[in-house]
Amino acid sequence: MKTTETPAPLPAESGAPVTKADGTSAGRSERKKKEGHVLNAFSHGFLILWAFMVVMPLLWAVMTSFKDDRSIFSSPWSLPDKLHFDNWSRAWTQANMSDYFLNTILVVGGSLIGTLVLGSMAAYVLARFDFPGNRFIYYLFIGGMSFPIMLALVPLFYVVNNMGLLNTIHGLILVYIAYSLPFTVFFLTAFFRTLPTSVAEAAFVDGASHSRTFFQIMLPMAKPGLISVGIFNFLGQWNQYMLPTVLNTDPEKRVLTQGLVQLAVSQGYKGDWSGLFAGLVMAMLPVLAAYIVFQRQVVQGLTAGALK
């Protein structure tokens, strides 16, 4: 007895009707595409708006620094009729911005080097070695991040004064280091945990000491993390105003933030707004340059743990 074979279904032609299941899946995919386009348009629009809000004040400050005082108030949004470079020279010499700039470089440079060296050493030990009290010390550093600096200003003033470090550059450097260490240790501890342990073990087998392994092998491998946390500390220390105001009252040792405030206050009714904007742009340029130069390393340091 012969059995009849059921013929295979033919593919639907271009003019053939679409089944209900196919129509439902096609409709869902179309809706997902539309939702994706709407979400992309919203996110791109928000990013453009955010970029406009961030970039426009910077461009306006740079443009205003090349105007004279009359043009700043008569036509604040127009381009300068000519570039008044005397605003920059007046702010650099007469407003003592050169001295403030040098003091800031000394304080921030010394504190940044000290913070990265001490913070990386502490973070490496906490990340790589197990010993009694390891987690307790780690959580102490984390607790230091949540301690508001406003509560420590009065006792910090007396401590620095009793040590003879008040109104000194090196005293301000030590305070900046202590202020920046908690975040540095927290950031670098997580970064050192992502580095491979096989490299350090191979160095120990070859006879390298702990200090040589750290400085010659592990520290170069942690370069992206060091640059990232260095940029964050640089931004915070360069723009620091509260600590130098309390601990540095000597007019000859003021930093840039103190100098800008003094320039704005000392004007009185003279209104040297063009010189003030020139000094403001001078204070902004190093921060912008540092971020533009090291932006790729910052992104690599922030995503290193996620790419592990």
Side-chain angles (χ1 to χ4, degrees), residues 120-194:
S120 60
M121 294 171 66
Y124 177 74
V125 172
L126 292 175
R128 293 290 179 170
F129 298 96
D130 292 329
F131 56 90
N134 182 303
R135 304 306 296 173
F136 177 73
I137 297 175
Y138 176 70
Y139 287 125
L140 279 180
F141 280 108
I142 295 180
M145 295 173 55
S146 61
F147 190 80
I149 193 61
M150 294 292 295
L151 297 180
L153 287 178
V154 175
L156 184 61
F157 175 84
Y158 285 105
V159 169
V160 175
N161 188 27
N162 293 333
M163 296 176 63
L165 299 176
L166 196 64
N167 297 327
T168 60
I169 297 295
H170 53 280
L172 202 58
I173 289 175
L174 292 177
V175 174
Y176 276 21
I177 292 175
Y179 175 74
S180 305
L181 268 181
F183 173 74
T184 304
V185 172
F186 169 74
F187 187 94
L188 291 180
T189 300
F191 191 87
F192 275 117
R193 287 173 180 167
T194 62

Side-chain angles (χ1 to χ4, degrees), residues 124 129 199-218:
Y124 177 74
F129 298 96
V199 180
E201 293 174 354
F204 291 143
V205 171
D206 291 339
S209 61
H210 288 287
S211 59
R212 185 176 181 181
T213 301
F214 172 72
F215 285 106
Q216 295 187 1
I217 298 176
M218 302 305 295

Side-chain angles (χ1 to χ4, degrees), residues 43-59:
S43 59
H44 283 78
F46 179 77
L47 291 177
I48 293 174
L49 178 62
W50 182 262
F52 179 81
M53 294 173 60
V54 172
V55 174
M56 280 304 299
L58 299 179
L59 295 179

Side-chain angles (χ1 to χ4, degrees), residues 46 82 86 104 143 151 171 199 300:
F46 179 77
K82 67 175 182 178
D86 57 319
T104 305
L151 297 180
V199 180
Q300 290 178 357

Side-chain angles (χ1 to χ4, degrees), residues 31-294:
R31 285 195 299 269
K32 288 182 179 180
K33 289 182 180 179
K34 291 181 180 179
E35 292 175 358
H37 291 316
V38 172
L39 183 60
N40 288 334
F42 176 78
S43 59
H44 283 78
F46 179 77
L47 291 177
I48 293 174
L49 178 62
W50 182 262
F52 179 81
M53 294 173 60
V54 172
V55 174
M56 280 304 299
L58 299 179
L59 295 179
W60 183 78
V62 174
M63 180 183 66
T64 308
S65 67
F66 292 102
K67 291 183 176 181
D68 55 0
D69 294 333
R70 183 178 180 181
S71 301
I72 292 176
F73 292 96
S74 61
S75 55
W77 298 107
S78 63
L79 295 175
D81 52 355
K82 67 175 182 178
L83 300 179
H84 295 271
F85 291 101
D86 57 319
N87 299 337
W88 289 64
S89 61
R90 189 172 64 253
W92 186 258
T93 56
Q94 298 181 10
N96 298 324
M97 293 299 294
S98 58
D99 298 333
Y100 303 148
F101 205 92
L102 178 60
N103 294 334
T104 305
I105 291 178
L106 292 177
V107 172
V108 175
S111 61
L112 194 61
I113 294 174
T115 301
L116 292 179
V117 172
L118 297 177
S120 60
M121 294 171 66
Y124 177 74
V125 172
L126 292 175
R128 293 290 179 170
F129 298 96
D130 292 329
F131 56 90
N134 182 303
R135 304 306 296 173
F136 177 73
I137 297 175
Y138 176 70
Y139 287 125
L140 279 180
F141 280 108
I142 295 180
M145 295 173 55
S146 61
F147 190 80
I149 193 61
M150 294 292 295
L151 297 180
L153 287 178
V154 175
L156 184 61
F157 175 84
Y158 285 105
V159 169
V160 175
N161 188 27
N162 293 333
M163 296 176 63
L165 299 176
L166 196 64
N167 297 327
T168 60
I169 297 295
H170 53 280
L172 202 58
I173 289 175
L174 292 177
V175 174
Y176 276 21
I177 292 175
Y179 175 74
S180 305
L181 268 181
F183 173 74
T184 304
V185 172
F186 169 74
F187 187 94
L188 291 180
T189 300
F191 191 87
F192 275 117
R193 287 173 180 167
T194 62
L195 299 180
T197 58
S198 58
V199 180
E201 293 174 354
F204 291 143
V205 171
D206 291 339
S209 61
H210 288 287
S211 59
R212 185 176 181 181
T213 301
F214 172 72
F215 285 106
Q216 295 187 1
I217 298 176
M218 302 305 295
L219 201 60
M221 293 176 61
K223 182 180 177 180
L226 291 174
I227 293 178
S228 298
V229 74
I231 290 295
F232 292 139
N233 286 328
F234 175 75
L235 295 176
Q237 294 173 4
W238 187 271
N239 297 322
Q240 181 61 244
Y241 175 72
M242 187 68 65
L243 290 176
T245 300
V246 176
L247 305 176
N248 185 28
T249 57
D250 189 354
E252 296 181 356
K253 298 178 181 179
R254 288 172 177 162
V255 295
L256 270 176
T257 52
Q258 293 175 287
L260 289 175
V261 174
Q262 182 63 26
L263 179 59
V265 173
S266 63
Q267 289 184 70
Y269 294 99
K270 292 182 295 184
D272 188 11
W273 296 103
S274 56
L276 179 61
F277 276 101
L280 178 63
V281 175
M282 289 180 188
M284 291 191 307
L285 287 180
V287 178
L288 294 176
Y291 186 78
I292 291 174
V293 172
F294 296 107

